[in-house]
Amino acid sequence: MALNDEELITVPGMLSRYVRLPNGTKAHYMTSGETGPAVLLLHGGIIGSSATAGWRFMAPFLGAHGFRVYCPDLPGFGHTSGHESAYPAEHGNAAHVDFLHDFVNALCLDTFHISGNSMGCLNAVNYTLAHPERVSSYALIAGGLGDLVPSPDLRPGQEKSDRPDIMAFDGTPESMRKMMSAIIRDSSTVTEDLVAMRTAAALRHQDYYRRRTQLSFGGEDKDIQARLSTKGRFDRLSIPGIYLYGKEDVLVPHEVFGYPQEDALPGVQFFYPEDTGHQGQTDQPELVNQLFLEFFRDGKVSWETAQRSGISDRRPPLPELVDVS
């Protein structure tokens, strides 16, 4: 199947949409479902990432099960454009928080469930902290928590010489496919169309991404760091939350990053599914879709789904989040 005229994979149940934000940014997003509570899904941050690439399995599922799903392309990704002055790369993750707030306001999303994978996880954390009154619940997948649990340095060779090189894109589909092997365990989901879509998106935003990456690895402005500080803040929130971290994540093993995060968030239920890499919603779509559906719909995960999803055995299940009866 070839890409459509927007250089996107055509996904049944997902629609491509645009909204003009007040500052002039043309924000692109994918949506699914027509009625019900809103869900905001945030994609990851490796070059070429996008709403379609990250959520093509989950969004249509939730849309078909009673939710209105919104998956924006963040500044520097996908088809969002005209964002350079409104959300400068030099503002790092703070620019993404500002974009998200403008985006949900433009679409009149007063309250919503939020989820994010990798960079999207940190964006979900930052947004929830900045605007807790808007977030009904959150579900995180394999990402950072800011300075609450400092992230290991992801630069190749910094700590492990065999760490996958997630910065190896040289403009070719071959380099894109190689990078994707670091985040997706199930290679059957890495189709030629997906590689082509991600390569086109990466080429579209190379300069912005390069500046953002240099900022991420070089340190941010002290005022921005203070604004995004999560230590002693995110762990105090009462908003219901779950967290999924694949046991086969090759970027940073779950023992290295997942366990310290679990220790820092005693009120969040953690899951460690088998045969799941960094992008759990792609490696195990049926499992993760059901987990998120139950949590967003019922506020609790059934015991059967919790067990299938690798509920943490490092501490007792949280009865307010998991039906242990």
Side-chain angles (χ1 to χ4, degrees):
M1 183 183 297
L3 301 183
N4 62 27
D5 58 3
E6 288 186 285
E7 293 187 299
L8 294 173
I9 297 171
T10 299
V11 180
M14 288 186 82
L15 298 174
S16 172
R17 294 287 184 259
Y18 293 86
V19 61
R20 182 76 66 182
L21 303 185
N23 55 41
T25 295
K26 185 179 181 181
H28 177 256
Y29 64 102
M30 301 297 290
T31 187
S32 184
E34 297 180 359
T35 62
V39 176
L40 189 67
L41 301 178
L42 308 179
H43 63 75
I46 292 177
I47 192 168
S49 297
S50 68
T52 307
W55 301 106
R56 64 194 185 280
F57 298 132
M58 182 178 289
F61 177 84
L62 292 178
H65 285 81
F67 290 93
R68 291 175 296 127
V69 185
Y70 301 87
C71 313
D73 286 341
L74 276 294
F77 297 89
H79 282 284
T80 289
S81 60
H83 50 77
E84 289 82 358
S85 60
Y87 312 106
E90 290 72 20
H91 289 184
N93 292 328
H96 281 183
V97 173
D98 294 338
F99 169 87
L100 288 172
H101 200 50
D102 291 340
F103 175 78
V104 297
N105 284 339
L107 294 182
C108 300
L109 305 182
D110 295 330
T111 59
F112 45 87
H113 305 282
I114 192 170
S115 178
N117 172 222
S118 195
M119 178 190 75
C121 170
L122 181 55
N123 278 330
V125 167
N126 287 332
Y127 186 86
T128 300
L129 258 181
H131 304 283
E133 74 284 355
R134 306 295 285 271
V135 177
S136 303
S137 70
Y138 61 85
L140 309 176
I141 303 176
L145 299 176
D147 58 4
L148 176 61
V149 181
S151 301
D153 194 331
L154 298 185
R155 280 177 291 181
Q158 187 73 21
E159 296 179 10
K160 293 184 178 181
S161 59
D162 60 347
R163 174 175 287 152
D165 189 348
I166 60 172
M167 301 299 296
F169 182 67
D170 61 9
T172 65
E174 292 75 21
S175 64
M176 177 59 69
R177 182 178 290 276
K178 182 178 180 181
M179 282 200 314
M180 291 173 66
S181 68
I183 60 173
I184 298 176
R185 176 175 172 79
D186 183 358
S187 61
S188 69
T189 66
V190 184
T191 63
E192 292 302 322
D193 287 344
L194 178 64
V195 173
M197 181 181 71
R198 290 187 59 122
T199 301
L203 292 172
R204 203 177 296 130
H205 296 285
Q206 266 189 307
D207 181 64
Y208 186 95
Y209 187 85
R210 186 180 299 110
R211 287 185 287 123
R212 177 180 166 81
T213 301
Q214 291 171 346
L215 172 70
S216 299
F217 290 155
E220 296 176 345
D221 180 274
K222 295 297 182 182
D223 292 337
I224 294 178
Q225 288 183 354
R227 176 186 172 190
L228 298 179
S229 178
T230 59
K231 189 174 183 179
R233 300 177 64 221
F234 189 69
D235 46 326
R236 296 172 60 189
L237 291 179
S238 61
I239 299 170
I242 62 174
Y243 194 119
L244 183 141
Y245 204 119
K247 279 195 170 182
E248 306 301 328
D249 193 323
V250 298
L251 284 184
V252 185
H254 65 285
E255 302 99 326
V256 175
F257 202 23
Y259 288 174
Q261 293 184 101
E262 183 178 11
D263 293 339
L265 294 174
V268 175
Q269 182 63 62
F270 275 66
F271 299 88
Y272 301 101
E274 303 280 352
D275 299 320
T276 304
H278 190 66
Q279 202 172 95
Q281 75 274 23
T282 299
D283 281 334
Q284 297 276 9
E286 292 184 6
L287 182 68
V288 180
N289 288 351
Q290 185 64 29
L291 177 71
F292 281 37
L293 171 63
E294 292 180 10
F295 178 63
F296 290 150
R297 183 190 63 200
D298 307 326
K300 278 190 175 185
V301 178
S302 69
W303 184 239
E304 178 184 1
T305 298
Q307 288 181 301
R308 290 176 54 236
S309 302
I311 187 170
S312 175
D313 60 5
R314 301 180 68 243
R315 64 187 186 200
L318 298 173
E320 64 272 25
L321 299 174
V322 179
D323 187 355
V324 296
S325 60

